[in-house]
Coordinates of all heavy atoms in Angstrom, one line a residue:
M198 N 0.9 -1.2 0.0 CA 0.0 0.0 0.0 C 0.9 1.3 0.0 O 1.9 1.3 0.7 CB -0.9 0.0 1.2 CG -2.0 -1.0 1.1 SD -3.5 -0.7 2.2 CE -2.8 -0.5 3.8
P199 N 0.5 2.2 -0.8 CA 1.3 3.5 -0.8 C 1.2 4.3 0.4 O 0.2 4.4 1.1 CB 0.7 4.2 -2.0 CG -0.1 3.3 -2.7 CD -0.5 2.2 -1.8
L200 N 2.3 5.0 0.7 CA 2.3 6.0 1.7 C 2.2 7.4 1.0 O 2.9 7.7 0.1 CB 3.6 6.0 2.5 CG 3.9 4.9 3.4 CD1 5.3 4.8 3.8 CD2 3.0 4.9 4.6
Y201 N 1.2 8.2 1.5 CA 0.9 9.5 0.9 C 1.3 10.6 1.9 O 1.1 10.4 3.1 CB -0.5 9.7 0.5 CG -0.9 8.8 -0.7 CD1 -1.6 7.6 -0.5 CD2 -0.5 9.1 -2.0 CE1 -2.0 6.8 -1.5 CE2 -0.8 8.2 -3.0 CZ -1.6 7.1 -2.8 OH -1.9 6.3 -3.8
E202 N 1.9 11.7 1.5 CA 2.1 12.8 2.3 C 1.0 13.9 2.2 O 0.6 14.1 1.1 CB 3.5 13.4 2.0 CG 4.7 12.5 2.3 CD 6.0 13.2 2.0 OE1 6.3 14.2 2.7 OE2 6.7 12.8 1.1
Y203 N 0.7 14.4 3.3 CA -0.4 15.5 3.3 C 0.2 16.7 4.1 O 1.0 16.6 5.0 CB -1.6 15.0 4.0 CG -2.4 14.0 3.2 CD1 -2.2 12.7 3.3 CD2 -3.4 14.5 2.4 CE1 -3.0 11.7 2.6 CE2 -4.2 13.6 1.6 CZ -4.0 12.2 1.7 OH -4.7 11.3 1.0
R204 N -0.3 17.9 3.8 CA -0.1 19.1 4.5 C -1.4 19.9 4.7 O -2.1 20.0 3.7 CB 0.9 20.0 3.8 CG 1.2 21.3 4.6 CD 2.1 22.3 3.8 NE 3.4 21.6 3.5 CZ 4.0 21.8 2.3 NH1 3.5 22.5 1.4 NH2 5.2 21.2 2.1
C205 N -1.6 20.4 5.8 CA -2.8 21.2 6.1 C -2.5 22.7 5.7 O -1.5 23.3 6.2 CB -3.1 21.1 7.6 SG -4.6 22.1 8.0
D206 N -3.3 23.3 4.9 CA -3.1 24.7 4.5 C -3.5 25.6 5.7 O -3.0 26.8 5.7 CB -4.0 25.0 3.3 CG -3.4 24.4 2.0 OD1 -2.2 24.1 2.0 OD2 -4.2 24.2 1.1
A207 N -4.3 25.2 6.6 CA -4.7 26.0 7.7 C -3.6 26.1 8.8 O -3.3 27.2 9.3 CB -6.0 25.5 8.3
C208 N -3.0 25.0 9.2 CA -2.1 25.0 10.4 C -0.7 24.6 10.0 O 0.2 24.7 10.8 CB -2.6 24.2 11.5 SG -2.5 22.4 11.2
G209 N -0.5 24.1 8.8 CA 0.9 23.7 8.3 C 1.3 22.3 8.8 O 2.4 21.9 8.5
H210 N 0.4 21.6 9.4 CA 0.8 20.2 9.9 C 1.0 19.3 8.7 O 0.3 19.3 7.8 CB -0.4 19.7 10.8 CG -0.2 18.3 11.3 ND1 0.8 18.0 12.2 CD2 -0.9 17.1 11.0 CE1 0.7 16.7 12.4 NE2 -0.3 16.1 11.7
E211 N 2.1 18.5 8.8 CA 2.5 17.6 7.7 C 2.5 16.2 8.3 O 3.0 16.0 9.4 CB 3.8 17.9 7.1 CG 3.8 19.2 6.3 CD 5.2 19.4 5.6 OE1 6.0 18.5 5.6 OE2 5.3 20.5 5.0
F212 N 2.0 15.2 7.5 CA 2.0 13.8 8.0 C 2.0 12.9 6.8 O 1.7 13.3 5.7 CB 0.9 13.6 9.0 CG -0.5 13.6 8.4 CD1 -1.1 12.5 8.0 CD2 -1.1 14.9 8.3 CE1 -2.4 12.6 7.5 CE2 -2.3 15.0 7.7 CZ -3.0 13.9 7.4
E213 N 2.2 11.6 7.1 CA 2.1 10.5 6.1 C 0.9 9.7 6.4 O 0.6 9.4 7.6 CB 3.3 9.7 6.0 CG 4.5 10.4 5.5 CD 5.8 9.5 5.5 OE1 5.8 8.5 6.2 OE2 6.7 9.9 4.8
A214 N 0.2 9.2 5.4 CA -0.9 8.3 5.6 C -0.8 7.0 4.7 O -0.5 7.2 3.5 CB -2.2 9.0 5.3
L215 N -1.0 5.9 5.3 CA -1.0 4.6 4.6 C -2.4 4.4 4.0 O -3.3 4.2 4.8 CB -0.5 3.5 5.5 CG -0.4 2.1 4.9 CD1 0.8 2.1 3.9 CD2 -0.1 1.1 6.0
Q216 N -2.5 4.4 2.7 CA -3.8 4.3 2.1 C -3.8 3.4 0.9 O -2.7 3.3 0.2 CB -4.3 5.7 1.6 CG -4.6 6.7 2.7 CD -5.1 8.0 2.1 OE1 -4.3 8.7 1.6 NE2 -6.4 8.1 2.1
K217 N -4.9 2.8 0.5 CA -5.0 2.1 -0.7 C -5.1 3.1 -1.9 O -5.4 4.3 -1.7 CB -6.3 1.3 -0.8 CG -6.4 0.2 0.2 CD -7.7 -0.5 0.0 CE -7.8 -1.7 1.0 NZ -9.1 -2.3 0.9
I218 N -4.6 2.7 -3.0 CA -4.7 3.6 -4.2 C -6.1 4.0 -4.5 O -6.3 5.2 -4.9 CB -4.0 2.9 -5.4 CG1 -2.5 2.7 -5.2 CG2 -4.3 3.7 -6.7 CD1 -1.8 1.9 -6.2
S219 N -7.1 3.1 -4.3 CA -8.5 3.4 -4.6 C -9.1 4.3 -3.5 O -10.3 4.8 -3.7 CB -9.2 2.1 -4.7 OG -9.2 1.4 -3.5
D220 N -8.5 4.5 -2.4 CA -9.1 5.4 -1.3 C -9.2 6.8 -1.7 O -8.3 7.3 -2.4 CB -8.3 5.3 0.0 CG -8.4 4.0 0.7 OD1 -9.3 3.2 0.4 OD2 -7.6 3.7 1.6
E221 N -10.2 7.5 -1.2 CA -10.3 9.0 -1.5 C -9.3 9.7 -0.7 O -8.9 9.3 0.4 CB -11.7 9.4 -1.1 CG -12.8 8.9 -1.9 CD -12.8 9.5 -3.3 OE1 -12.5 10.7 -3.5 OE2 -13.0 8.7 -4.3
P222 N -8.8 10.8 -1.2 CA -7.8 11.6 -0.4 C -8.4 12.1 0.9 O -9.6 12.4 1.0 CB -7.5 12.8 -1.3 CG -7.9 12.4 -2.7 CD -9.0 11.4 -2.5
L223 N -7.6 12.2 1.9 CA -8.0 12.7 3.2 C -8.3 14.2 3.1 O -7.7 14.9 2.3 CB -6.9 12.5 4.3 CG -6.5 11.0 4.5 CD1 -5.4 10.9 5.5 CD2 -7.7 10.2 5.0
V224 N -9.3 14.7 3.9 CA -9.7 16.1 3.8 C -9.5 16.8 5.2 O -9.0 17.9 5.2 CB -11.2 16.1 3.4 CG1 -11.7 17.6 3.4 CG2 -11.4 15.4 2.1
D225 N -9.8 16.1 6.3 CA -9.7 16.8 7.6 C -8.4 16.6 8.2 O -7.9 15.5 8.3 CB -10.8 16.2 8.5 CG -12.2 16.5 8.0 OD1 -12.4 17.5 7.4 OD2 -13.1 15.6 8.1
C226 N -7.8 17.7 8.7 CA -6.5 17.7 9.4 C -6.7 17.0 10.8 O -7.5 17.4 11.5 CB -6.0 19.1 9.5 SG -4.4 19.2 10.4
P227 N -5.8 16.1 11.1 CA -5.9 15.5 12.5 C -5.4 16.4 13.6 O -5.8 16.2 14.7 CB -5.0 14.3 12.4 CG -4.0 14.6 11.2 CD -4.8 15.5 10.3
A228 N -4.7 17.5 13.2 CA -4.2 18.4 14.3 C -5.2 19.5 14.6 O -5.4 19.8 15.7 CB -2.9 19.0 13.8
C229 N -5.8 20.1 13.5 CA -6.7 21.3 13.8 C -8.1 21.0 13.4 O -9.0 21.8 13.6 CB -6.2 22.5 13.1 SG -6.3 22.4 11.3
Q230 N -8.4 19.8 12.8 CA -9.8 19.4 12.4 C -10.4 20.3 11.2 O -11.6 20.2 11.0 CB -10.8 19.4 13.5 CG -10.7 18.1 14.3 CD -9.4 17.8 15.0 OE1 -8.8 18.7 15.6 NE2 -8.9 16.6 15.0
E231 N -9.6 21.1 10.6 CA -10.0 21.9 9.5 C -10.0 21.0 8.2 O -9.2 20.1 8.1 CB -9.1 23.1 9.2 CG -9.2 24.2 10.3 CD -10.6 24.9 10.4 OE1 -11.2 25.1 9.3 OE2 -11.0 25.2 11.5
A232 N -10.9 21.3 7.3 CA -11.0 20.6 6.0 C -10.0 21.2 5.0 O -10.5 21.7 3.9 CB -12.4 20.5 5.5
Q233 N -8.7 21.3 5.3 CA -7.8 22.0 4.5 C -6.6 21.2 4.1 O -5.5 21.7 3.8 CB -7.3 23.3 5.3 CG -8.3 24.3 5.7 CD -8.6 25.2 4.5 OE1 -7.7 25.5 3.7 NE2 -9.8 25.8 4.5
L234 N -6.7 19.8 4.0 CA -5.6 19.0 3.7 C -5.3 19.0 2.2 O -6.3 19.0 1.4 CB -5.8 17.5 4.1 CG -5.6 17.2 5.6 CD1 -5.8 15.8 5.9 CD2 -4.3 17.7 6.1
R235 N -4.1 19.0 1.9 CA -3.6 18.9 0.5 C -2.6 17.8 0.3 O -1.7 17.7 1.1 CB -3.0 20.2 0.1 CG -2.5 20.3 -1.3 CD -1.8 21.6 -1.6 NE -2.5 22.7 -1.2 CZ -3.2 23.5 -2.0 NH1 -3.3 23.2 -3.3 NH2 -3.9 24.5 -1.5
K236 N -2.9 16.9 -0.6 CA -2.0 15.8 -0.9 C -0.7 16.3 -1.6 O -0.8 17.1 -2.6 CB -2.6 14.7 -1.7 CG -1.8 13.4 -1.8 CD -2.4 12.4 -2.8 CE -3.5 11.7 -2.2 NZ -4.0 10.6 -3.1
L237 N 0.5 16.0 -1.1 CA 1.7 16.5 -1.6 C 2.2 15.6 -2.7 O 2.0 14.4 -2.7 CB 2.8 16.7 -0.5 CG 2.4 17.6 0.7 CD1 3.5 17.5 1.7 CD2 2.2 19.0 0.2
V238 N 2.9 16.1 -3.7 CA 3.6 15.4 -4.7 C 5.0 15.0 -4.2 O 5.7 15.9 -3.9 CB 3.7 16.1 -6.0 CG1 4.4 15.3 -7.1 CG2 2.3 16.5 -6.5
S239 N 5.3 13.8 -4.0 CA 6.6 13.4 -3.5 C 6.9 12.0 -4.1 O 6.1 11.4 -4.7 CB 6.5 13.3 -2.0 OG 5.6 12.4 -1.5
A240 N 8.1 11.5 -3.7 CA 8.5 10.2 -4.1 C 7.6 9.2 -3.3 O 7.6 9.3 -2.1 CB 10.0 9.9 -3.8
S241 N 6.9 8.4 -4.0 CA 6.0 7.5 -3.3 C 6.7 6.4 -2.7 O 7.7 5.8 -3.2 CB 4.9 7.0 -4.3 OG 5.5 6.2 -5.3
G242 N 6.2 6.0 -1.5 CA 6.8 4.8 -0.8 C 5.7 3.8 -0.8 O 4.5 4.1 -1.0
F243 N 6.0 2.6 -0.5 CA 5.1 1.5 -0.5 C 5.6 0.4 0.5 O 6.8 0.3 0.7 CB 4.7 1.0 -1.8 CG 5.8 0.3 -2.6 CD1 6.1 -1.0 -2.5 CD2 6.7 1.1 -3.3 CE1 7.1 -1.6 -3.1 CE2 7.8 0.5 -4.0 CZ 8.0 -0.8 -3.9
R244 N 4.7 -0.4 0.9 CA 5.0 -1.5 1.9 C 4.6 -2.8 1.2 O 3.5 -3.0 0.7 CB 4.2 -1.3 3.1 CG 4.5 -2.4 4.2 CD 3.6 -2.3 5.4 NE 3.6 -1.0 5.9 CZ 2.8 -0.7 7.0 NH1 2.0 -1.6 7.5 NH2 2.8 0.5 7.4
L245 N 5.6 -3.7 1.2 CA 5.4 -5.1 0.7 C 4.9 -5.9 1.9 O 5.7 -6.0 2.9 CB 6.6 -5.7 0.1 CG 7.1 -4.9 -1.2 CD1 8.5 -5.5 -1.6 CD2 6.1 -4.9 -2.3
K246 N 3.7 -6.5 1.8 CA 3.2 -7.3 2.9 C 3.4 -8.8 2.6 O 3.3 -9.2 1.4 CB 1.8 -6.9 3.1 CG 1.6 -5.5 3.6 CD 0.1 -5.2 3.8 CE -0.2 -5.1 5.3 NZ -1.5 -4.8 5.6
G247 N 3.5 -9.5 3.6 CA 3.6 -11.0 3.4 C 4.8 -11.6 4.1 O 5.6 -10.9 4.7
D248 N 5.0 -12.9 3.9 CA 6.1 -13.6 4.5 C 7.4 -13.3 3.9 O 8.4 -13.5 4.5 CB 5.8 -15.1 4.5 CG 4.7 -15.5 5.4 OD1 4.4 -14.7 6.3 OD2 4.0 -16.5 5.2
G249 N 7.5 -12.9 2.7 CA 8.8 -12.7 2.0 C 8.6 -12.6 0.5 O 7.7 -13.0 -0.1
W250 N 9.6 -11.9 -0.1 CA 9.7 -11.7 -1.5 C 11.0 -12.3 -2.0 O 12.1 -11.9 -1.5 CB 9.5 -10.2 -1.8 CG 8.2 -9.7 -1.4 CD1 7.8 -9.3 -0.1 CD2 7.0 -9.6 -2.2 NE1 6.5 -8.9 -0.1 CE2 6.0 -9.1 -1.3 CE3 6.7 -9.9 -3.5 CZ2 4.7 -8.9 -1.8 CZ3 5.4 -9.6 -3.9 CH2 4.5 -9.1 -3.1
Y251 N 11.0 -13.1 -3.0 CA 12.2 -13.7 -3.5 C 12.3 -13.5 -5.0 O 11.3 -13.3 -5.7 CB 12.1 -15.2 -3.2 CG 12.1 -15.5 -1.7 CD1 10.9 -15.8 -1.1 CD2 13.2 -15.5 -1.0 CE1 10.8 -16.0 0.3 CE2 13.2 -15.8 0.4 CZ 12.0 -16.0 1.0 OH 11.9 -16.2 2.3
E252 N 13.5 -13.5 -5.5 CA 13.8 -13.3 -6.9 C 13.0 -14.2 -7.8 O 12.5 -13.9 -8.9 CB 15.2 -13.5 -7.2 CG 15.6 -13.3 -8.6 CD 17.1 -13.6 -8.9 OE1 17.8 -13.9 -8.0 OE2 17.4 -13.5 -10.1
T253 N 12.8 -15.5 -7.3 CA 12.1 -16.5 -8.2 C 10.7 -16.6 -8.0 O 10.0 -17.5 -8.5 CB 12.8 -17.9 -7.9 OG1 12.7 -18.2 -6.5 CG2 14.3 -17.8 -8.2
D254 N 10.0 -15.8 -7.2 CA 8.6 -15.9 -6.9 C 7.7 -16.0 -8.1 O 6.8 -16.8 -8.2 CB 8.1 -14.8 -6.0 CG 8.4 -15.0 -4.5 OD1 8.9 -16.2 -4.2 OD2 8.2 -14.1 -3.7
F255 N 7.9 -15.2 -9.1 CA 7.0 -15.1 -10.2 C 7.7 -15.5 -11.6 O 7.2 -15.1 -12.6 CB 6.5 -13.7 -10.4 CG 5.8 -13.3 -9.1 CD1 6.4 -12.4 -8.2 CD2 4.5 -13.8 -8.8 CE1 5.7 -12.0 -7.1 CE2 3.9 -13.4 -7.6 CZ 4.5 -12.5 -6.7
K256 N 8.7 -16.3 -11.5 CA 9.4 -16.7 -12.7 C 9.1 -18.2 -13.0 O 8.8 -19.0 -12.1 CB 10.9 -16.6 -12.6 CG 11.3 -15.1 -12.4 CD 12.8 -15.0 -12.2 CE 13.1 -13.5 -11.9 NZ 14.4 -13.3 -11.5
T257 N 9.0 -18.6 -14.3 CA 8.7 -19.9 -14.6 C 9.7 -20.5 -15.6 O 10.4 -19.7 -16.3 CB 7.3 -20.0 -15.3 OG1 7.4 -19.1 -16.5 CG2 6.2 -19.5 -14.4
G258 N 9.8 -21.8 -15.7 CA 10.6 -22.5 -16.7 C 12.1 -22.1 -16.6 O 12.7 -22.1 -15.5
S259 N 12.7 -21.8 -17.7 CA 14.1 -21.5 -17.8 C 14.5 -20.1 -17.2 O 15.6 -19.8 -17.1 CB 14.6 -21.5 -19.2 OG 14.0 -20.5 -20.0
K260 N 13.5 -19.3 -16.8 CA 13.8 -18.0 -16.3 C 14.1 -18.0 -14.8 O 14.5 -17.0 -14.2 CB 12.6 -17.0 -16.5 CG 12.4 -16.7 -17.9 CD 11.2 -15.8 -18.1 CE 10.9 -15.5 -19.6 NZ 9.8 -14.6 -19.7
R261 N 13.9 -19.2 -14.1 CA 14.1 -19.3 -12.7 C 15.6 -19.3 -12.4 O 16.5 -19.6 -13.1 CB 13.5 -20.6 -12.2 CG 12.0 -20.6 -12.3 CD 11.4 -21.9 -11.7 NE 11.4 -21.8 -10.2 CZ 10.6 -21.1 -9.5 NH1 9.7 -20.4 -10.1 NH2 10.7 -21.1 -8.2
N262 N 16.0 -18.8 -11.2 CA 17.3 -18.7 -10.6 C 18.3 -18.0 -11.5 O 19.4 -18.4 -11.8 CB 17.8 -20.1 -10.4 CG 17.0 -20.9 -9.3 OD1 16.6 -20.2 -8.4 ND2 16.8 -22.1 -9.5
L263 N 17.9 -16.8 -12.0 CA 18.7 -16.0 -12.9 C 20.0 -15.5 -12.2 O 21.0 -15.2 -12.8 CB 17.9 -14.8 -13.4 CG 16.8 -15.1 -14.3 CD1 16.1 -13.8 -14.7 CD2 17.3 -15.8 -15.6
A264 N 20.0 -15.4 -10.9 CA 21.2 -15.0 -10.2 C 22.4 -15.9 -10.3 O 23.5 -15.6 -10.2 CB 20.9 -14.8 -8.7
D265 N 22.1 -17.2 -10.7 CA 23.1 -18.2 -10.8 C 23.7 -18.2 -12.2 O 24.7 -18.9 -12.4 CB 22.6 -19.6 -10.5 CG 22.2 -19.7 -9.0 OD1 22.7 -18.9 -8.2 OD2 21.4 -20.6 -8.7
T266 N 23.2 -17.5 -13.2 CA 23.7 -17.6 -14.5 C 24.9 -16.8 -14.7 O 25.0 -15.6 -14.4 CB 22.7 -17.2 -15.6 OG1 22.3 -15.9 -15.3 CG2 21.4 -18.1 -15.5
G267 N 26.0 -17.4 -15.3 CA 27.2 -16.6 -15.7 C 28.1 -16.2 -14.5 O 29.0 -15.4 -14.7
T268 N 27.9 -16.7 -13.3 CA 28.7 -16.3 -12.2 C 29.2 -17.6 -11.5 O 28.6 -18.6 -11.5 CB 28.0 -15.4 -11.2 OG1 26.9 -16.2 -10.6 CG2 27.5 -14.2 -11.8
S269 N 30.3 -17.4 -10.8 CA 30.7 -18.4 -9.8 C 31.2 -17.6 -8.6 O 31.6 -16.5 -8.7 CB 31.8 -19.3 -10.4 OG 33.0 -18.5 -10.5
D270 N 31.1 -18.2 -7.4 CA 31.5 -17.5 -6.2 C 32.9 -17.0 -6.2 O 33.3 -16.0 -5.7 CB 31.3 -18.4 -5.0 CG 29.8 -18.6 -4.7 OD1 29.0 -17.7 -5.1 OD2 29.4 -19.5 -3.9
S271 N 33.8 -17.8 -6.9 CA 35.2 -17.4 -7.0 C 35.5 -16.3 -8.0 O 36.3 -15.4 -7.8 CB 36.1 -18.5 -7.2 OG 35.8 -19.1 -8.5
G272 N 34.7 -16.3 -9.1 CA 35.0 -15.3 -10.2 C 34.3 -14.0 -10.0 O 34.9 -12.9 -10.2
K273 N 33.1 -14.0 -9.6 CA 32.3 -12.8 -9.4 C 32.3 -11.9 -10.7 O 32.1 -10.7 -10.6 CB 32.7 -12.0 -8.2 CG 32.2 -12.5 -6.9 CD 30.7 -12.4 -6.8 CE 30.2 -12.9 -5.5 NZ 28.8 -13.0 -5.5
K274 N 32.6 -12.4 -11.8 CA 32.5 -11.6 -13.1 C 31.2 -11.9 -13.7 O 30.9 -13.1 -14.0 CB 33.6 -12.0 -14.0 CG 33.8 -11.1 -15.2 CD 34.3 -9.7 -14.7 CE 34.6 -8.8 -15.9 NZ 34.9 -7.5 -15.5
T275 N 30.3 -11.0 -13.8 CA 28.9 -11.3 -14.3 C 28.7 -10.5 -15.6 O 29.4 -9.6 -15.9 CB 27.9 -10.8 -13.3 OG1 28.0 -9.4 -13.0 CG2 28.1 -11.6 -12.0
N276 N 27.5 -10.8 -16.2 CA 27.1 -10.1 -17.3 C 26.3 -8.8 -16.8 O 25.2 -8.9 -16.4 CB 26.2 -11.0 -18.2 CG 25.6 -10.2 -19.4 OD1 26.0 -9.1 -19.7 ND2 24.7 -10.9 -20.1
A277 N 27.0 -7.7 -16.8 CA 26.4 -6.5 -16.2 C 25.6 -5.7 -17.2 O 25.2 -4.6 -17.0 CB 27.5 -5.6 -15.7
A278 N 25.2 -6.3 -18.4 CA 24.4 -5.6 -19.3 C 23.0 -5.3 -18.8 O 22.3 -4.5 -19.3 CB 24.3 -6.5 -20.6
A279 N 22.6 -6.0 -17.8 CA 21.2 -5.8 -17.2 C 21.0 -4.4 -16.8 O 20.0 -3.8 -17.0 CB 21.0 -6.7 -16.1
C280 N 22.0 -3.7 -16.1 CA 21.8 -2.4 -15.7 C 22.6 -1.4 -16.6 O 22.4 -0.2 -16.5 CB 22.2 -2.2 -14.2 SG 23.9 -2.3 -13.9
G281 N 23.5 -1.9 -17.4 CA 24.2 -1.1 -18.4 C 25.3 -0.3 -17.9 O 25.9 0.5 -18.6
T282 N 25.7 -0.4 -16.6 CA 26.8 0.4 -16.0 C 28.1 -0.3 -15.9 O 29.1 0.3 -15.6 CB 26.4 0.9 -14.7 OG1 26.2 -0.2 -13.8 CG2 25.1 1.8 -14.7
G283 N 28.1 -1.7 -16.1 CA 29.3 -2.4 -15.9 C 29.7 -2.6 -14.5 O 30.8 -3.0 -14.2
C284 N 28.7 -2.5 -13.6 CA 29.0 -2.6 -12.1 C 29.0 -4.0 -11.7 O 29.6 -4.3 -10.6 CB 28.0 -1.8 -11.3 SG 26.3 -2.5 -11.4
G285 N 28.5 -4.9 -12.4 CA 28.5 -6.3 -12.0 C 27.4 -6.7 -11.0 O 27.5 -7.7 -10.4
C286 N 26.4 -5.9 -10.9 CA 25.3 -6.1 -10.0 C 24.4 -7.2 -10.4 O 23.6 -7.8 -9.6 CB 24.6 -4.9 -9.6 SG 23.6 -4.2 -11.0
H287 N 24.4 -7.5 -11.7 CA 23.4 -8.6 -12.2 C 24.2 -9.7 -12.7 O 24.5 -10.1 -13.7 CB 22.5 -8.0 -13.3 CG 21.6 -6.9 -12.7 ND1 22.0 -5.6 -12.8 CD2 20.5 -7.0 -12.1 CE1 21.0 -4.9 -12.2 NE2 20.1 -5.7 -11.8

């Protein structure tokens, strides 16, 4: 679920709210109770819920275990074309 930032035009109170994308924007300020809240434009944050997220969760067939292709623990030379920077992260 995304985290949204809000600011009250009446009192200047700023806060974050965890809301569904489909939820209506908040209107009433929790600090002064005025209907002056404005949703701010910011880098959105989100929370992944559940027991865990793994690289192979949604891959099938030959696409599984991509982290093992082209590398060995001793060499650590990888095909870095994935990010295009030559950093070796992929």
Side-chain angles (χ1 to χ4, degrees):
M198 287 202 306
L200 289 169
Y201 293 104
E202 291 184 65
Y203 287 90
R204 179 184 303 137
C205 178
D206 288 338
C208 71
H210 178 68
E211 291 186 8
F212 65 98
E213 293 179 340
L215 183 65
Q216 294 180 280
K217 293 180 181 179
I218 293 174
S219 59
D220 286 349
E221 291 293 319
L223 300 177
V224 179
D225 297 324
C226 175
C229 69
Q230 278 62 43
E231 294 291 327
Q233 298 277 334
L234 282 183
R235 180 184 309 260
K236 189 185 285 189
L237 302 177
V238 177
S239 62
S241 62
F243 61 94
R244 183 187 308 176
L245 297 175
K246 294 179 108 178
D248 292 336
W250 297 82
Y251 299 94
E252 177 185 0
T253 58
D254 278 353
F255 302 105
K256 297 177 184 168
T257 59
S259 63
K260 294 180 181 180
R261 295 185 73 79
N262 298 323
L263 291 178
D265 294 337
T266 61
T268 64
S269 68
D270 286 341
S271 61
K273 280 293 184 193
K274 190 69 174 173
T275 61
N276 179 7
C280 71
T282 64
C284 69
C286 67
H287 296 91

